[in-house]
Amino acid sequence: MAAFLYRIGRLAFRRRWTVALVWAAVLAAVGLAGMTAPEAEEEPFSMPGIESQEAFDLMEERFPGAAADGATARVVFVSPNGEKVTASENKEAVEAAIAELGDGTQVASTVDPYESGAVSEDGSTAYTTVTYKVDAAGLTDASRSHLDESLEHARDSGLTVEAGGDAMEDMGGPSGTAEAIGVSVAAVVLLITFGSLAAAGLPLLTALIGVGISLFAITALAGPLGLADSTSTVAIMLGLAVGIDYALFIVSRYREERAKGRTAQEAVALATGTAGSAVVFAGLTVVIALAGLSVVGIPMLTEMGLGAAGAVVVGVLIALTLVPALLGFWPNAILTRKDRKARRAGGAPRETRKVNGGTRWASFVLRRPLPVLLAAVAGLGALALPMTDLQLGMPGDEAMSTETTQRRAYDALAEGFGPGFNGPLTVVVDVRDADDPKAAAETVSGRIGGTEGVVSVSPAQFNESGDTAVFSVVPTTAPTGQETKDLVNTIRGDRPGIESEAGATFEVTGTTAMNIDVSEKVQSALVPYLLVVVGLAVILLLVVFRSILVPLKAAAGFLLSVLAALGAVVVVFQQGHGADLLGVETTGPIMSLMPIFLVGIVFGLAMDYEVFLVSRMREAYVHGERPAQAVTSGFQHSARVVVAAALIMIAVFSGFIGDSDAMIKMIGFGLASAVLLDAFVVRMAIVPAVLALLGERAWWLPKWLDRILPRVDVEGEALTRPAGPEAEPAEKDLART
C-alpha cells in the first residue's frame, strides 16, 4: 500500500498540471450536470416494515386522491379577555379572516369552524384548516405573503391568531451559516497550526473542491434517484470536515519530511505513501460506518449515508492526488517562514522538534497510565449514565421556540382542545370481508373509543367502494408523552379481540403512531447496526495494525465516547439541565434517528483519529522503537495535528447549535460533544494509557493469523528501509514492492 501510494504521490507531483486540469474538468463537468439537472421532487418520508406505514399505504390505495400532497395551514383563533369566539363581533372577525385566507390564488379550500364544530367546549378557541393546491415546496412567495398578511389583519380585530402546519415551514433551505462558521474557525486553527497562509489555505481549497464535486453530483442524481435535501446537507458537513482533515495530514507529513532535508518531490512521495496510507484506511472506516446506515432499513438514512460516503471517497482521492499536485506548484510556500528563510540563505533545514506539547502529554500519561485510564473511563461512564433514561420520539411544533407562531398555535390548541388534540391517531378499518361493513366499523370505533386514555372518536368515513373506513382518535395526553405510546400499544394489543368481534381488520397510523413506530424500529436496528459496522471496522484495523488488542481497544473507546455524548444530549435536551444556555426552550424525547445517526457519523470520525494517531505509533514500533518510545513518537508527530483536526470538526458541528430548529440544534450539540470526548478523552488519554499498560502485548498477533492477513505496509517500512532520502536502492526496492 505505502509503495503504491508513494508512486501515486510522485506521479501527481511530476504531472501536476495534468492532475490539476483533470480535477478542474471533473468539477466543471459535474457542476454543469448539477446546474442543468431538473429539480428533484420531494419524496415523502417512508418507513417500510412498520404498521403505521402499511396503514398509510392502504389509505392511499383505497382513498385515491384523499391523501393529497397539498400544503396545509391550521389557523387558530383565541378570543381576548375571557370572551367567546362565538360572540357576534368575534365571529364576524373569524369569518372575515377565513374569507380572506380563501382568496389566495393557490388555496384549494378553507373550513368554517362554526359549521365543522372546530370550536372548543369553553368557546374560547376555534381553528380552521387552509388547504393548498400545491405542496409546501410549491408555495410561491406571494402565497406565503398572503397568508402572513391575512393573519396580521385578523390580529387587528383583537383576536389572538396563530398558525401551524407545513405551509408555515421555511422552505428557503439551509443558510450556510453553520458551514461558514466552520470554515472560518478551520482557517484560524490551520493558520495557528502551520503558521503559514499557504499551508492553511491548501486544505481549505482542496476540501471546498471536493465538497463542490460531491454537491453537484448529488444534485444531478437527486431527480433520478429521488434524493432528499438532507442528503446534500450531510454530504457537505462530512465532506468539508474530512476533506480538511485528510489534506491536513498529508501537508503536515510533507513539512516534516522537508524538515529532514528531503527534496520536494521525495517529501511529497513519502507523505503520500505514509500519511496517505492512513488517509485511505481512515476513509474506509468512515465509508463503512456511513454505508452501514443502509442496514437500518430507513430509505432516508440510506440516502444520507451513501451520499456522505461518496463525499468521503472524493475527499480521499483529492488528498492522494490533487494535494500532492498543488504541493508541486508551491513546494516552499507550505513551509514555515523560518524554513523558507533558511533555504533562501542556503542554510540547513530546521530539524523537527523532539519535544513539544504532544511528547510532554504522552510522557505524563506514560508515567501514570492507570490513574489516567481510570479517571477517563469514570468520567465518560458518569456522562453516559443518563443514557439509561433515553426516550426516543419525533419532536414537532412543541419543540420549537415560543417566539414562533407554530409553537404558539400548538399551545393554543392544546389549551383549548386538550393536549392530545395535536396528535390524533388515525385508524384504518378494512371491512372487505365483513357481512355488515358499517356495523363492523362502528364496533371497532366503539371498542377503541371505550379505551382508557381516549377523549373522543370521530365518525367513520367510508371510501367510494365502501370497503374501507377511517376515523380519528384523540388521546388525553400529548403526542410525545409515554402515556400516548402506551395507549397505542394497548389498542394494538386489544386488536385480536376487537377484530374477532367486528369481523374486520384495522391498523393504527397518523403522525403520532408513525413517530412511535419509527422510534421502536430504530431502537431494534441499533444493535445489528453496531455489530455490522464495528465488526467490519475491527477487521479493517486488524489488517492495518496487525494487532488484536489495538482494534478492540479502538472499538471500546468509541462506544464509551458515543454513549457519553448521548448521555450529554439526554441531560440537556431531555432533562433540561443547561438547556437555557443553548436556547432550548422545551425539553422532551430525543429525536428517533439521533442515536443511530450519531453512531454512524461519530464512529467514522473516531476511527479517523485512531488511524492517524496509532499508525504513527505503529510506524515507530515497526522501525525499532520500544512500545513506550513508540507512543511518545506518535504523539510527537500527530498529537498537534489530531487536536487541530478535532477542533475543526467541533467548530463545524457547533455552528449548528445556534440553529432555531430544535432537531438541528440537537444534532450539532451531539456531534460536537462526541468529537470533543472522543478526540480529547479517548484518543488523547485512554489510548496512550492502555498502550502503556499493555506494552509489547499491544502489538501481539498470533502467528497463524499473521500468515493469513494481507500485508498492506501502512507504516511505509519499504519506503524508509534504504539509507538516504533518494537512494537508488530505494527505487529498486519500491519497484520490487
Side-chain angles (χ1 to χ4, degrees):
M1 171 65 75
F4 171 73
L5 293 178
Y6 175 98
R7 291 192 290 270
I8 292 291
R10 187 174 54 182
L11 181 64
F13 184 94
R14 289 176 173 176
R15 302 285 186 265
R16 46 189 172 273
W17 278 109
T18 302
V19 173
L21 290 174
V22 166
W23 278 111
V26 169
L27 178 60
V30 177
L32 181 63
M35 289 186 289
T36 58
E39 188 174 349
E41 295 183 7
E42 187 71 20
E43 293 288 331
F45 178 81
S46 65
M47 177 73 75
I50 59 176
E51 178 179 327
S52 51
Q53 183 67 51
E54 293 170 356
F56 182 80
D57 294 341
L58 181 63
M59 285 179 59
E60 288 196 321
E61 177 189 342
R62 303 285 180 85
F63 292 84
D69 292 330
T72 60
R74 189 154 65 172
V75 182
V76 187
F77 304 93
V78 182
S79 57
N81 304 322
E83 299 176 8
K84 307 287 187 183
V85 289
T86 52
S88 58
E89 184 178 346
N90 291 332
K91 185 176 181 180
E92 288 177 6
V94 170
E95 290 177 338
I98 293 172
E100 185 178 357
L101 287 166
D103 286 340
T105 56
Q106 291 183 303
V107 174
S109 65
T110 56
V111 179
D112 188 322
Y114 302 104
E115 295 179 2
S116 63
V119 179
S120 62
E121 289 185 7
D122 61 4
S124 65
T125 309
Y127 72 91
T128 183
T129 301
V130 182
T131 305
Y132 290 86
K133 300 173 184 177
V134 296
D135 61 15
L139 285 177
T140 62
D141 291 339
S143 292
R144 294 181 184 277
S145 297
H146 177 265
L147 175 59
D148 292 337
E149 290 171 2
S150 300
L151 297 179
E152 287 299 326
H153 293 161
R155 292 182 182 118
D156 292 340
S157 66
L159 295 171
T160 298
V161 185
E162 307 295 349
D166 57 356
M168 301 299 298
E169 293 177 2
D170 181 12
M171 305 302 293
S175 64
T177 303
E179 289 83 351
I181 293 173
V183 171
S184 301
V185 175
V188 174
V189 172
L190 289 169
L191 188 59
I192 294 173
T193 302
F194 287 130
S196 163
L197 285 173
L202 191 147
L204 288 174
L205 173 63
T206 54
L208 291 173
I209 291 172
V211 167
I213 292 172
S214 302
L215 180 59
F216 283 129
I218 291 172
T219 303
L221 296 173
L225 300 182
L227 302 179
D229 290 340
S230 55
T231 304
S232 58
T233 302
V234 176
I236 291 172
M237 183 169 58
L238 282 182
L240 184 63
V242 302
I244 294 174
D245 280 2
Y246 295 164
L248 172 65
F249 275 88
I250 298 289
V251 172
S252 177
R253 186 61 182 258
Y254 168 79
R255 284 168 43 125
E256 182 183 327
E257 297 299 333
R258 289 298 303 274
K260 294 177 181 177
R262 302 189 191 278
T263 64
Q265 177 177 304
E266 183 66 9
V268 164
L270 284 170
T272 309
T274 51
S277 297
V279 166
V280 168
F281 283 97
L284 277 175
T285 59
V286 179
V287 169
I288 287 173
L290 293 171
L293 288 171
S294 57
V295 174
V296 183
I298 303 175
M300 185 182 73
L301 270 183
T302 301
E303 293 172 6
M304 290 166 59
L306 293 178
V312 172
V313 170
V314 172
V316 171
L317 293 176
I318 283 181
L320 298 178
T321 56
L322 184 58
V323 170
L326 294 180
L327 288 173
F329 286 114
W330 301 284
N332 293 329
I334 303 297
L335 305 179
T336 63
R337 183 178 301 176
K338 290 182 179 179
D339 280 351
R340 292 198 302 272
K341 286 183 178 179
R343 289 179 181 279
R344 284 195 297 267
R350 184 172 58 90
E351 289 293 331
T352 304
R353 290 176 297 173
K354 296 299 181 183
V355 177
N356 56 23
T359 56
R360 286 190 288 269
W361 172 251
S363 299
F364 172 82
V365 176
L366 291 174
R367 287 196 300 269
R368 48 187 70 80
L370 191 57
V372 169
L373 177 61
L374 292 177
V377 172
L380 292 177
L383 277 175
L385 196 58
M387 255 287 292
T388 57
D389 189 38
L390 176 67
Q391 297 176 7
L392 298 181
M394 292 294 286
D397 288 347
E398 78 281 1
M400 300 183 73
S401 168
T402 53
E403 296 180 359
T404 63
T405 186
Q406 295 97 316
R407 168 64 186 277
R408 293 195 294 266
Y410 178 96
D411 291 341
L413 287 170
E415 183 176 351
F417 296 90
F421 186 81
N422 283 296
L425 307 175
T426 301
V427 178
V428 185
V429 187
D430 188 348
V431 294
R432 275 185 309 185
D433 301 328
D435 296 332
D436 186 343
K438 289 188 177 180
E442 289 176 359
T443 299
V444 175
S445 175
R447 287 288 303 274
I448 292 178
T451 305
E452 184 179 355
V454 173
V455 173
S456 62
V457 175
S458 69
Q461 302 292 323
F462 282 82
N463 62 348
E464 290 186 6
S465 60
D467 60 0
T468 309
V470 174
F471 60 87
S472 295
V473 179
V474 178
T476 58
T477 51
T480 57
Q482 180 62 36
E483 298 87 350
T484 306
K485 180 179 179 180
D486 295 338
L487 174 62
V488 172
N489 292 333
T490 298
I491 293 173
R492 289 171 173 172
D494 295 340
R495 180 170 19 222
I498 298 175
E499 290 181 342
S500 176
E501 181 181 343
T505 60
F506 73 88
E507 293 176 316
V508 182
T509 186
T511 303
T512 300
M514 177 73 79
N515 292 341
I516 292 170
D517 291 346
V518 168
S519 300
E520 291 180 351
K521 180 166 184 176
V522 169
Q523 282 181 305
S524 63
L526 186 57
V527 173
Y529 173 69
L530 276 173
L531 291 175
V532 170
V533 172
V534 175
L536 289 174
V538 166
I539 293 173
L540 185 64
L541 295 179
L542 184 67
V543 174
V544 173
F545 297 129
R546 307 195 72 77
S547 162
I548 288 180
L549 297 179
V550 169
L552 293 177
K553 175 265 305 170
F558 155 73
L559 289 175
L560 272 175
S561 61
V562 78
L563 289 176
L566 281 172
V569 170
V570 170
V571 167
V572 175
F573 290 88
Q574 185 175 306
Q575 298 176 351
H577 302 293
D580 292 341
L581 298 176
L582 299 181
V584 179
E585 298 190 22
T586 301
T587 58
I590 304 304
M591 185 179 64
S592 298
L593 302 181
M594 178 68 184
I596 206 158
F597 184 76
L598 186 72
V599 167
I601 293 180
V602 174
F603 180 79
L605 300 181
M607 293 304 102
D608 264 9
Y609 304 134
E610 178 75 12
V611 171
F612 287 137
L613 187 61
V614 180
S615 63
R616 289 307 297 262
M617 299 178 190
R618 171 73 181 174
E619 180 180 338
Y621 178 75
V622 167
H623 293 155
E625 292 188 11
R626 302 295 300 166
Q629 290 177 300
V631 171
T632 303
S633 295
F635 269 81
Q636 175 194 345
H637 296 296
S638 297
R640 189 181 185 192
V641 184
V642 167
V643 168
L647 290 175
I648 290 169
M649 292 273 190
I650 293 168
V652 170
F653 297 143
S654 294
F656 292 90
I657 298 177
D659 199 284
S660 60
D661 189 299
M663 290 186 289
I664 300 298
K665 190 187 295 286
M666 188 184 300
I667 290 172
F669 176 80
L671 291 175
S673 300
V675 171
L676 174 68
L677 295 172
D678 192 88
F680 292 100
V681 180
V682 175
R683 309 304 154 191
M684 290 292 169
I686 292 180
V687 167
V690 170
L691 292 178
L693 291 171
L694 291 175
E696 294 280 356
R697 291 167 294 180
W699 309 108
W700 171 78
L701 186 69
K703 291 183 179 179
W704 63 270
L705 189 56
D706 184 57
R707 288 193 298 269
I708 63 175
L709 283 179
R711 294 186 177 275
V712 294
D713 188 22
V714 177
E715 304 83 17
E717 186 179 3
L719 306 181
T720 55
R721 188 183 304 131
E726 296 182 59
E728 184 64 24
E731 299 290 335
K732 296 179 181 179
D733 187 38
L734 289 170
R736 289 196 299 271
T737 306

